[in-house]
Amino acid sequence: AQSVTQPDIHITVSEGASLELRCNYSYGATPYLFWYVQSPGQGLQLLLKYFSGDTLVQGIKGFEAEFKRSQSSFNLRKPSVHWSDAAEYFCAVGASKRNYQLIWGAGTKLIIKP
Amino acid sequence: DSGVTQTPKHLITATGQRVTLRCSPRSGDLSVYWYQQSLDQGLQFLIQYYNGEERAKGNILERFSAQQFPDLHSELNLSSLELGDSALYFCASSEGLAGTNTGELFFGEGSRLTVL
């Protein structure tokens, strides 16, 4: 069965430090991969997505993610975090661009230390 | 602002009651999705509508139902409410047109339901 694992429930990072959020998926074919961010009191917003092509994708707010087929991973990175990045981050996997069958990870809550 | 509007933002009701949550999708979006987010279950897909027709069903209870109207707004009806139904209910929309779907969902800010 398809699944998405975000192994870290919480991550605490100092402001200005680099960030990597992990996402592993289980899917039989090449998946469509997404990272969404949920700021406090807000709905989810798409950060970036991978459908095909270059395995390093750039997103909004200075985020990037790398698709590694051999590791079934799609980790999210940012070189230097800002206090405004404090939010919950969700990885999702879809069978198609129509995405109604998105499988969501449990989310990783990012806490920024001043 | 995602362009997706959900009402009400907060709702408190009692067990056994029925509530209706409303969603207006982004202008031009034909697909509407409903999600439930709770602390113990995470983000759960409930149901999707495309241009008025049900397209996909997820973990939606039989006590819950939804519909999409000709003007494309959608309503999620929750009945015989239980304490465990307390959650944040999100609506999302997408382009939903064949060949043009970017794969992006646009989420509303959610309706927080508290069942006492």
Side-chain angles (χ1 to χ4, degrees), chain A residues 52-73:
Chain A
S52 64
D54 192 347
T55 56
L56 185 64
V57 293
Q58 304 296 320
I60 62 171
K61 305 186 183 189
F63 285 92
E64 67 178 26
E66 186 170 12
F67 169 56
K68 292 186 177 180
R69 184 190 305 274
S70 61
Q71 297 177 18
S72 297
S73 69

PDB file of all heavy atoms in Angstrom, chain A residues 52-73:
ATOM      1  N   SER A  52       8.453  15.211 -12.695  1.00  0.00           N
ATOM      2  CA  SER A  52       9.423  14.493 -13.516  1.00  0.00           C
ATOM      3  C   SER A  52      10.590  15.433 -13.784  1.00  0.00           C
ATOM      4  O   SER A  52      10.564  16.605 -13.403  1.00  0.00           O
ATOM      5  CB  SER A  52       8.801  14.030 -14.841  1.00  0.00           C
ATOM      6  OG  SER A  52       8.432  15.152 -15.617  1.00  0.00           O
ATOM      7  N   GLY A  53      11.624  14.910 -14.448  1.00  0.00           N
ATOM      8  CA  GLY A  53      12.740  15.764 -14.854  1.00  0.00           C
ATOM      9  C   GLY A  53      13.775  15.930 -13.767  1.00  0.00           C
ATOM     10  O   GLY A  53      14.077  14.991 -13.028  1.00  0.00           O
ATOM     11  N   ASP A  54      14.315  17.139 -13.673  1.00  0.00           N
ATOM     12  CA  ASP A  54      15.378  17.438 -12.713  1.00  0.00           C
ATOM     13  C   ASP A  54      14.933  17.038 -11.309  1.00  0.00           C
ATOM     14  O   ASP A  54      13.865  17.443 -10.849  1.00  0.00           O
ATOM     15  CB  ASP A  54      15.694  18.930 -12.759  1.00  0.00           C
ATOM     16  CG  ASP A  54      16.974  19.267 -12.007  1.00  0.00           C
ATOM     17  OD1 ASP A  54      17.474  18.407 -11.256  1.00  0.00           O
ATOM     18  OD2 ASP A  54      17.455  20.394 -12.176  1.00  0.00           O
ATOM     19  N   THR A  55      15.765  16.257 -10.648  1.00  0.00           N
ATOM     20  CA  THR A  55      15.356  15.734  -9.341  1.00  0.00           C
ATOM     21  C   THR A  55      15.502  16.746  -8.220  1.00  0.00           C
ATOM     22  O   THR A  55      15.047  16.502  -7.110  1.00  0.00           O
ATOM     23  CB  THR A  55      16.174  14.480  -8.997  1.00  0.00           C
ATOM     24  OG1 THR A  55      17.564  14.807  -9.050  1.00  0.00           O
ATOM     25  CG2 THR A  55      15.874  13.352  -9.991  1.00  0.00           C
ATOM     26  N   LEU A  56      16.140  17.865  -8.484  1.00  0.00           N
ATOM     27  CA  LEU A  56      16.235  18.943  -7.504  1.00  0.00           C
ATOM     28  C   LEU A  56      15.251  20.026  -7.919  1.00  0.00           C
ATOM     29  O   LEU A  56      15.374  20.610  -8.991  1.00  0.00           O
ATOM     30  CB  LEU A  56      17.663  19.494  -7.449  1.00  0.00           C
ATOM     31  CG  LEU A  56      17.926  20.561  -6.380  1.00  0.00           C
ATOM     32  CD1 LEU A  56      17.749  19.968  -4.980  1.00  0.00           C
ATOM     33  CD2 LEU A  56      19.333  21.127  -6.536  1.00  0.00           C
ATOM     34  N   VAL A  57      14.277  20.253  -7.076  1.00  0.00           N
ATOM     35  CA  VAL A  57      13.244  21.225  -7.423  1.00  0.00           C
ATOM     36  C   VAL A  57      13.294  22.397  -6.455  1.00  0.00           C
ATOM     37  O   VAL A  57      13.548  22.234  -5.260  1.00  0.00           O
ATOM     38  CB  VAL A  57      11.836  20.589  -7.418  1.00  0.00           C
ATOM     39  CG1 VAL A  57      11.711  19.590  -8.532  1.00  0.00           C
ATOM     40  CG2 VAL A  57      11.519  19.946  -6.099  1.00  0.00           C
ATOM     41  N   GLN A  58      13.038  23.560  -7.015  1.00  0.00           N
ATOM     42  CA  GLN A  58      13.025  24.785  -6.216  1.00  0.00           C
ATOM     43  C   GLN A  58      11.590  25.175  -5.934  1.00  0.00           C
ATOM     44  O   GLN A  58      10.692  24.982  -6.769  1.00  0.00           O
ATOM     45  CB  GLN A  58      13.723  25.913  -6.975  1.00  0.00           C
ATOM     46  CG  GLN A  58      15.151  25.600  -7.391  1.00  0.00           C
ATOM     47  CD  GLN A  58      16.067  25.394  -6.189  1.00  0.00           C
ATOM     48  OE1 GLN A  58      15.973  26.099  -5.194  1.00  0.00           O
ATOM     49  NE2 GLN A  58      16.966  24.411  -6.293  1.00  0.00           N
ATOM     50  N   GLY A  59      11.373  25.719  -4.756  1.00  0.00           N
ATOM     51  CA  GLY A  59      10.032  26.135  -4.401  1.00  0.00           C
ATOM     52  C   GLY A  59      10.004  27.576  -3.937  1.00  0.00           C
ATOM     53  O   GLY A  59      10.943  28.328  -4.126  1.00  0.00           O
ATOM     54  N   ILE A  60       8.900  27.903  -3.305  1.00  0.00           N
ATOM     55  CA  ILE A  60       8.759  29.258  -2.792  1.00  0.00           C
ATOM     56  C   ILE A  60       9.474  29.388  -1.453  1.00  0.00           C
ATOM     57  O   ILE A  60       9.846  28.380  -0.833  1.00  0.00           O
ATOM     58  CB  ILE A  60       7.274  29.645  -2.644  1.00  0.00           C
ATOM     59  CG1 ILE A  60       6.575  28.726  -1.632  1.00  0.00           C
ATOM     60  CG2 ILE A  60       6.575  29.611  -3.997  1.00  0.00           C
ATOM     61  CD1 ILE A  60       5.170  29.178  -1.254  1.00  0.00           C
ATOM     62  N   LYS A  61       9.688  30.617  -1.025  1.00  0.00           N
ATOM     63  CA  LYS A  61      10.261  30.929   0.274  1.00  0.00           C
ATOM     64  C   LYS A  61      11.658  30.365   0.461  1.00  0.00           C
ATOM     65  O   LYS A  61      12.091  30.149   1.599  1.00  0.00           O
ATOM     66  CB  LYS A  61       9.345  30.428   1.415  1.00  0.00           C
ATOM     67  CG  LYS A  61       7.922  30.939   1.325  1.00  0.00           C
ATOM     68  CD  LYS A  61       7.097  30.531   2.539  1.00  0.00           C
ATOM     69  CE  LYS A  61       5.664  31.010   2.373  1.00  0.00           C
ATOM     70  NZ  LYS A  61       4.860  30.838   3.576  1.00  0.00           N
ATOM     71  N   GLY A  62      12.380  30.113  -0.624  1.00  0.00           N
ATOM     72  CA  GLY A  62      13.758  29.654  -0.531  1.00  0.00           C
ATOM     73  C   GLY A  62      13.933  28.173  -0.247  1.00  0.00           C
ATOM     74  O   GLY A  62      15.038  27.713   0.036  1.00  0.00           O
ATOM     75  N   PHE A  63      12.871  27.403  -0.335  1.00  0.00           N
ATOM     76  CA  PHE A  63      12.947  25.961  -0.098  1.00  0.00           C
ATOM     77  C   PHE A  63      13.298  25.205  -1.375  1.00  0.00           C
ATOM     78  O   PHE A  63      12.990  25.647  -2.478  1.00  0.00           O
ATOM     79  CB  PHE A  63      11.612  25.434   0.448  1.00  0.00           C
ATOM     80  CG  PHE A  63      11.373  25.778   1.891  1.00  0.00           C
ATOM     81  CD1 PHE A  63      10.694  26.941   2.223  1.00  0.00           C
ATOM     82  CD2 PHE A  63      11.822  24.948   2.898  1.00  0.00           C
ATOM     83  CE1 PHE A  63      10.478  27.283   3.551  1.00  0.00           C
ATOM     84  CE2 PHE A  63      11.598  25.269   4.233  1.00  0.00           C
ATOM     85  CZ  PHE A  63      10.925  26.434   4.547  1.00  0.00           C
ATOM     86  N   GLU A  64      13.929  24.066  -1.199  1.00  0.00           N
ATOM     87  CA  GLU A  64      14.187  23.145  -2.286  1.00  0.00           C
ATOM     88  C   GLU A  64      14.016  21.722  -1.764  1.00  0.00           C
ATOM     89  O   GLU A  64      14.019  21.490  -0.548  1.00  0.00           O
ATOM     90  CB  GLU A  64      15.607  23.318  -2.851  1.00  0.00           C
ATOM     91  CG  GLU A  64      16.715  22.930  -1.900  1.00  0.00           C
ATOM     92  CD  GLU A  64      18.098  23.060  -2.520  1.00  0.00           C
ATOM     93  OE1 GLU A  64      18.281  23.875  -3.455  1.00  0.00           O
ATOM     94  OE2 GLU A  64      18.998  22.346  -2.062  1.00  0.00           O
ATOM     95  N   ALA A  65      13.834  20.807  -2.685  1.00  0.00           N
ATOM     96  CA  ALA A  65      13.708  19.404  -2.303  1.00  0.00           C
ATOM     97  C   ALA A  65      14.364  18.550  -3.373  1.00  0.00           C
ATOM     98  O   ALA A  65      14.399  18.919  -4.546  1.00  0.00           O
ATOM     99  CB  ALA A  65      12.246  19.007  -2.125  1.00  0.00           C
ATOM    100  N   GLU A  66      14.865  17.419  -2.965  1.00  0.00           N
ATOM    101  CA  GLU A  66      15.537  16.508  -3.888  1.00  0.00           C
ATOM    102  C   GLU A  66      14.860  15.155  -3.884  1.00  0.00           C
ATOM    103  O   GLU A  66      14.675  14.541  -2.820  1.00  0.00           O
ATOM    104  CB  GLU A  66      17.005  16.351  -3.525  1.00  0.00           C
ATOM    105  CG  GLU A  66      17.788  15.530  -4.554  1.00  0.00           C
ATOM    106  CD  GLU A  66      19.282  15.559  -4.326  1.00  0.00           C
ATOM    107  OE1 GLU A  66      19.722  16.015  -3.249  1.00  0.00           O
ATOM    108  OE2 GLU A  66      20.014  15.117  -5.224  1.00  0.00           O
ATOM    109  N   PHE A  67      14.489  14.694  -5.044  1.00  0.00           N
ATOM    110  CA  PHE A  67      13.890  13.374  -5.224  1.00  0.00           C
ATOM    111  C   PHE A  67      15.013  12.363  -5.417  1.00  0.00           C
ATOM    112  O   PHE A  67      15.826  12.503  -6.337  1.00  0.00           O
ATOM    113  CB  PHE A  67      12.956  13.375  -6.436  1.00  0.00           C
ATOM    114  CG  PHE A  67      12.479  12.016  -6.868  1.00  0.00           C
ATOM    115  CD1 PHE A  67      11.831  11.180  -5.978  1.00  0.00           C
ATOM    116  CD2 PHE A  67      12.667  11.577  -8.170  1.00  0.00           C
ATOM    117  CE1 PHE A  67      11.376   9.933  -6.371  1.00  0.00           C
ATOM    118  CE2 PHE A  67      12.218  10.331  -8.580  1.00  0.00           C
ATOM    119  CZ  PHE A  67      11.564   9.508  -7.676  1.00  0.00           C
ATOM    120  N   LYS A  68      15.041  11.366  -4.550  1.00  0.00           N
ATOM    121  CA  LYS A  68      16.025  10.290  -4.688  1.00  0.00           C
ATOM    122  C   LYS A  68      15.267   8.976  -4.805  1.00  0.00           C
ATOM    123  O   LYS A  68      14.783   8.421  -3.800  1.00  0.00           O
ATOM    124  CB  LYS A  68      16.977  10.265  -3.486  1.00  0.00           C
ATOM    125  CG  LYS A  68      17.895  11.476  -3.412  1.00  0.00           C
ATOM    126  CD  LYS A  68      18.914  11.340  -2.292  1.00  0.00           C
ATOM    127  CE  LYS A  68      19.881  12.526  -2.285  1.00  0.00           C
ATOM    128  NZ  LYS A  68      20.880  12.438  -1.207  1.00  0.00           N
ATOM    129  N   ARG A  69      15.217   8.499  -6.028  1.00  0.00           N
ATOM    130  CA  ARG A  69      14.433   7.291  -6.300  1.00  0.00           C
ATOM    131  C   ARG A  69      14.996   6.095  -5.539  1.00  0.00           C
ATOM    132  O   ARG A  69      14.251   5.303  -4.979  1.00  0.00           O
ATOM    133  CB  ARG A  69      14.430   6.989  -7.790  1.00  0.00           C
ATOM    134  CG  ARG A  69      13.566   5.800  -8.201  1.00  0.00           C
ATOM    135  CD  ARG A  69      13.830   5.429  -9.645  1.00  0.00           C
ATOM    136  NE  ARG A  69      13.641   6.568 -10.525  1.00  0.00           N
ATOM    137  CZ  ARG A  69      12.475   6.923 -11.033  1.00  0.00           C
ATOM    138  NH1 ARG A  69      11.400   6.214 -10.766  1.00  0.00           N
ATOM    139  NH2 ARG A  69      12.383   7.954 -11.835  1.00  0.00           N
ATOM    140  N   SER A  70      16.321   5.991  -5.482  1.00  0.00           N
ATOM    141  CA  SER A  70      16.953   4.822  -4.846  1.00  0.00           C
ATOM    142  C   SER A  70      16.664   4.760  -3.358  1.00  0.00           C
ATOM    143  O   SER A  70      16.664   3.691  -2.755  1.00  0.00           O
ATOM    144  CB  SER A  70      18.462   4.855  -5.074  1.00  0.00           C
ATOM    145  OG  SER A  70      19.015   6.025  -4.500  1.00  0.00           O
ATOM    146  N   GLN A  71      16.402   5.916  -2.769  1.00  0.00           N
ATOM    147  CA  GLN A  71      16.123   5.970  -1.332  1.00  0.00           C
ATOM    148  C   GLN A  71      14.642   6.203  -1.045  1.00  0.00           C
ATOM    149  O   GLN A  71      14.248   6.303   0.119  1.00  0.00           O
ATOM    150  CB  GLN A  71      16.952   7.081  -0.688  1.00  0.00           C
ATOM    151  CG  GLN A  71      18.448   6.855  -0.795  1.00  0.00           C
ATOM    152  CD  GLN A  71      19.263   8.005  -0.221  1.00  0.00           C
ATOM    153  OE1 GLN A  71      18.755   8.814   0.545  1.00  0.00           O
ATOM    154  NE2 GLN A  71      20.534   8.070  -0.600  1.00  0.00           N
ATOM    155  N   SER A  72      13.830   6.301  -2.092  1.00  0.00           N
ATOM    156  CA  SER A  72      12.401   6.599  -1.929  1.00  0.00           C
ATOM    157  C   SER A  72      12.213   7.798  -1.001  1.00  0.00           C
ATOM    158  O   SER A  72      11.410   7.764  -0.063  1.00  0.00           O
ATOM    159  CB  SER A  72      11.646   5.380  -1.379  1.00  0.00           C
ATOM    160  OG  SER A  72      11.723   4.310  -2.293  1.00  0.00           O
ATOM    161  N   SER A  73      12.976   8.841  -1.279  1.00  0.00           N
ATOM    162  CA  SER A  73      12.919  10.010  -0.397  1.00  0.00           C
ATOM    163  C   SER A  73      12.683  11.281  -1.196  1.00  0.00           C
ATOM    164  O   SER A  73      12.978  11.365  -2.395  1.00  0.00           O
ATOM    165  CB  SER A  73      14.206  10.132   0.414  1.00  0.00           C
ATOM    166  OG  SER A  73      15.303  10.478  -0.421  1.00  0.00           O
TER     167      SER A  73
END
